[in-house]
């Protein structure tokens, strides 16, 4: 039986090849000797290639695809096109989703909202629904020419998060964790927060595969914090179990895992050891992190009263600042219900009200703490929306379908160039006419701000040097950099 258990047939290919590495057993032994496993494992932080502009990232993902022409891509000439058909010379036979491909017409729906120039940069934006954010226009790098091939949510979110439309690859947060590690051994390097929108009319599915480590070592997966109940499931001891017993239990489990790792070389065993140790340390750090009672009144005045309500976007934004100042490397926030196939008039005000003041407050809060210059904030969705209406159209209400050909995102802090307005679209916000940004270029630029050459920042898997930016050309965009 012993010889059979030791046979290669009892191991996966990944385990078998992992055994050949020089790190076999080292991480487990390091743990038993009281050293950090991260310093001895194949998942150890790689370190930047050059001095980073950003030490950490806060990524605010608006799930569903915000309408660029209703927020940041001002198209006044469209008022004259109300209810006229989108010209074929603009569409040029481009792919449509099945939700509108069967429409007899594609009637133009100009934005119903008030736009005005914001800041010295003069960006024309929706100041009616985003009055607070507009005050920070000169701190923000505006990118109006993002584009992607993905036209439906699941592949588009996967592409935006992982660089590939096929799920199962490491996301941007996992790459950041793999590259930089954490500055706080009592908290994960990569944390995920899911904010609850005030309007829940049409939400998209969000699942843990979006913050998976993929083929990277498992300790680089995102750790999801909940807004209700315990922030992390089972973070607290069962009734009657003191910390001393929990600690002895974990030490015993890790000794068994160490023996298992030496025997079989499964890299997931390393991850299990790391997770047990981190979970025990978080029992002390997480309650302090999530206790907002010590935040002063002026902070709640800044973020708004909604910040006191667990799960709101305002509460989540305040939590991201607390995570950032405690050394968490990458904080991924999801805010749902931006999928505006209909009722833009009823839903857009709620969505903007959720994020407007908290985004302003987050920038201001980081500035006051001296953290803005080395914290990169990213805001955007997985694609944009169509200028033509899906379903019924009136001057007061309309819907918009998915549109991957052009959409707007923004960055602030962390080496992004404040006040920059980059990229232009045509009068219909349908095609890019100047300075396109493919999402590969966007990823390459983010990695650059974190101190990495995207061409050299790789992980060997299935015989290939895998990269976030993939095998197609990707370029850092210097004009986006401060």
């Amino acid at each position: 039986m012993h010889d059979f258990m030791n046979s290669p047939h009892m191991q996966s290919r990944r385990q078998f090849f992992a055994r050949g590495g020089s790190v076999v057993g080292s991480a487990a032994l390091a743990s038993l000797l009281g050293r950090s496993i991260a310093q001895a494992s194949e998942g150890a932080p790689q370190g930047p290639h050059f001095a980073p502009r950003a030490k950490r990232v806060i990524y605010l993902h608006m799930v569903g695809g915000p309408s660029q022409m209703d927020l940041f891509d001002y198209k006044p000439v469209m008022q004259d096109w109300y209810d006229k058909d989108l010209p074929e010379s603009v569409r040029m036979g481009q792919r449509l989703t099945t939700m509108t491909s069967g429409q007899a017409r594609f009637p133009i729906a100009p934005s119903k909202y008030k736009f005005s120039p914001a800041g010295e940069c003069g960006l024309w934006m929706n100041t009616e629904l985003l009055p607070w954010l507009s005050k920070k226009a000169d701190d923000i790098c505006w990118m109006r020419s993002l584009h992607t091939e993905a036209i439906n949510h699941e592949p588009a979110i996967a592409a935006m998060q992982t660089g590939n439309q096929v799920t199962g690859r490491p996301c941007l947060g996992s790459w950041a964790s793999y590259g930089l590690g954490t500055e706080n051994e009592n908290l994960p390097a990569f944390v995920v927060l899911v904010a609850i929108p005030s309007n829940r009319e049409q939400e998209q599915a969000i699942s843990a595969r979006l913050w998976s480590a993929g083929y990277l070592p498992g300790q680089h997966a995102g750790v999801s914090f909940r807004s209700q109940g315990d922030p992390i499931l089972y973070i607290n001891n069962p009734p009657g179990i003191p910390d001393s017993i929990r600690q002895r239990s974990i030490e015993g489990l890790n000794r068994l895992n160490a023996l298992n790792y030496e025997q079989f070389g499964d890299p997931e065993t390393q991850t299990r050891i790391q997770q047990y140790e981190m979970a025990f340390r978080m029992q002390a750090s997480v309650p302090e992190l999530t206790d907002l009672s010590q935040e002063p009144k002026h902070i709640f005045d800044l973020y708004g009263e909604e910040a006191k309500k667990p799960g709101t976007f305002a509460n989540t934004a305040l939590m991201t600042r607390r995570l950032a100042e405690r050394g968490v490397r990458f904080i991924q926030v999801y805010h749902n219900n931006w999928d505006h196939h209909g009722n833009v008039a009823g839903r857009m005000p709620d969505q903007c009200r959720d994020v407007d003041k908290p985004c302003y407050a987050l920038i201001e809060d980081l500035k006051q703490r001296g953290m803005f210059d080395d914290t990169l904030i990213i805001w955007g969705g997985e694609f944009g929306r169509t200028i033509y209406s899906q379903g019924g159209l009136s001057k007061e209400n309309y819907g918009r379908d998915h549109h991957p050909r052009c959409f707007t995102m923004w960055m602030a802090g962390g080496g992004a160039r404040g006040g920059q307005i980059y990229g232009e679209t045509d009068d219909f916000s349908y095609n890019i006419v100047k300075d396109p940004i493919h999402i590969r270029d966007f990823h390459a630029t983010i990695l650059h701000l974190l101190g990495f050459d995207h061409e050299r920042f790789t992980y060997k898997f299935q015989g290939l040097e895998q990269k976030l930016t993939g095998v197609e050309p990707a370029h850092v965009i210097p004009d986006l950099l401060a």
Side-chain angles (χ1 to χ4, degrees):
M1 173 65 80
H2 178 73
D3 290 341
F4 176 71
M5 291 296 293
N6 284 336
S7 73
H9 300 290
M10 292 299 294
Q11 305 168 45
S12 67
R13 290 182 74 245
R14 185 176 182 183
Q15 293 169 1
F16 179 78
F17 287 113
R19 287 195 77 186
S22 62
V23 298
V24 173
S26 64
L29 292 174
S31 176
L32 296 178
L33 292 172
R35 297 191 351 232
S36 168
I37 193 170
Q39 296 174 0
S41 75
E42 66 177 39
Q46 301 302 291
H49 300 137
F50 44 83
R53 306 278 193 93
K55 291 182 179 179
R56 65 196 71 85
V57 176
I58 297 172
Y59 192 149
L60 309 173
H61 186 95
M62 306 295 110
V63 181
S67 170
Q68 73 277 8
M69 71 284 293
D70 286 303
L71 296 173
F72 308 117
D73 199 11
Y74 183 46
K75 300 300 177 185
V77 72
M78 290 295 95
Q79 300 299 327
D80 298 331
W81 279 78
Y82 172 74
D83 202 25
K84 296 179 181 179
D85 287 338
L86 176 72
E88 181 54 39
S89 60
V90 173
R91 182 189 158 197
M92 297 184 291
Q94 293 167 14
R95 180 186 178 195
L96 305 177
T97 77
T98 55
M99 289 168 283
T100 54
S101 60
Q103 288 187 181
R105 299 182 58 222
F106 300 101
I108 299 297
S111 179
K112 70 183 293 290
Y113 297 108
K114 177 184 176 182
F115 282 66
S116 57
E120 293 185 8
C121 69
L123 175 80
W124 280 80
M125 62 178 286
N126 185 338
T127 51
E128 177 183 348
L129 299 185
L130 298 171
W132 285 96
L133 186 64
S134 67
K135 299 175 190 292
K136 294 297 182 185
D138 292 331
D139 292 314
I140 290 173
C141 180
W142 306 95
M143 302 168 290
R144 299 183 298 184
S145 54
L146 270 293
H147 63 101
T148 179
E149 289 78 25
I151 199 169
N152 288 313
H153 294 288
E154 186 71 15
I157 295 176
M160 183 56 72
Q161 299 287 310
T162 73
N164 196 295
Q165 294 186 47
V166 179
T167 58
R169 287 163 170 77
C171 64
L172 183 56
S174 294
W175 280 107
S177 172
Y178 170 65
L180 297 174
T182 184
E183 294 182 304
N184 185 338
E185 291 186 354
N186 297 323
L187 288 170
F190 176 20
V191 169
V192 178
L193 302 170
V194 179
I196 302 170
S198 57
N199 185 317
R200 309 195 69 175
E201 193 173 315
Q202 186 174 349
E203 297 180 33
Q204 291 298 318
I206 305 173
S207 69
R209 63 181 173 272
L210 292 177
W211 51 89
S212 162
Y215 46 72
L216 293 177
Q219 64 259 40
H220 299 299
V223 176
S224 179
F225 280 32
R226 305 191 309 158
S227 59
Q228 304 290 336
D230 289 343
I232 300 173
L233 288 173
Y234 314 116
I235 191 69
N236 290 315
N237 293 331
I241 303 296
D243 285 349
S244 58
I245 291 179
R246 173 61 69 93
Q247 184 173 13
R248 289 202 301 272
S249 299
I250 290 174
E251 288 173 351
L253 283 170
N254 279 352
R255 288 178 184 275
L256 291 173
N257 282 326
L259 293 172
N260 186 59
Y261 183 78
E262 287 187 277
Q263 189 79 11
F264 294 106
D266 182 359
E268 293 305 314
T269 305
Q270 273 188 27
T271 299
R272 195 175 304 122
I273 294 171
Q274 174 83 350
Q275 288 172 334
Y276 278 130
E277 292 178 343
M278 175 62 76
F280 183 74
R281 294 195 298 270
M282 287 197 299
Q283 284 191 307
S285 61
V286 168
E288 183 275 333
L289 163 71
T290 56
D291 180 11
L292 302 185
S293 64
Q294 300 305 309
E295 290 287 347
K297 179 180 181 300
H298 77 267
I299 289 297
F300 290 108
D301 291 341
L302 181 63
Y303 284 86
E305 283 298 305
E306 288 290 303
K308 295 179 180 179
K309 301 177 183 178
T312 64
F313 186 85
N315 177 269
T316 303
L318 177 52
M319 192 64 66
T320 66
R321 187 268 286 164
R322 293 174 65 85
L323 286 162
E325 68 182 342
R326 285 162 176 77
V328 175
R329 214 46 106 163
F330 199 101
I331 304 128
Q332 178 74 60
V333 174
Y334 294 98
H335 183 252
N336 217 320
N337 199 36
W338 290 87
D339 191 19
H340 296 149
H341 290 283
N343 194 23
V344 167
R347 294 166 62 189
M348 185 69 79
D350 290 335
Q351 297 302 102
C352 291
R353 191 180 307 111
D354 281 353
V355 305
D356 180 36
K357 191 172 185 181
C359 287
Y360 162 87
L362 181 59
I363 293 173
E364 183 63 24
D365 198 3
L366 291 172
K367 278 190 162 189
Q368 291 177 6
R369 294 168 192 274
M371 296 175 60
F372 179 70
D373 289 344
D374 58 12
T375 302
L376 179 64
I377 304 171
I378 302 169
W379 188 100
E382 61 268 30
F383 43 49
R385 313 303 296 194
T386 56
I387 189 64
Y388 64 78
S389 181
Q390 177 177 345
L393 168 65
S394 72
K395 289 200 172 182
E396 291 305 315
N397 210 352
Y398 42 86
R400 300 195 188 280
D401 199 5
H402 309 165
H403 189 62
R405 300 287 297 181
C406 61
F407 57 104
T408 299
M409 296 182 68
W410 59 259
M411 301 188 294
R417 180 175 292 178
Q420 172 73 300
I421 304 171
Y422 189 87
E424 294 180 17
T425 61
D426 60 21
D427 285 338
F428 298 83
S429 193
Y430 208 89
N431 297 294
I432 297 166
V433 297
K434 182 180 180 183
D435 297 330
I437 307 172
H438 193 275
I439 58 172
R440 288 188 299 273
D441 304 324
F442 182 56
H443 289 156
T445 303
I446 293 170
L447 291 180
H448 180 85
L449 290 171
L450 290 172
F452 294 101
D453 176 349
H454 73 95
E455 293 284 3
R456 294 190 288 138
F457 189 33
T458 64
Y459 185 85
K460 193 163 188 177
F461 176 65
Q462 294 183 339
L464 299 174
E465 294 293 338
Q466 304 281 356
K467 301 182 299 182
L468 171 66
T469 51
V471 297
E472 296 185 63
H475 307 282
V476 174
I477 301 178
D479 287 345
L480 304 180
L481 310 178

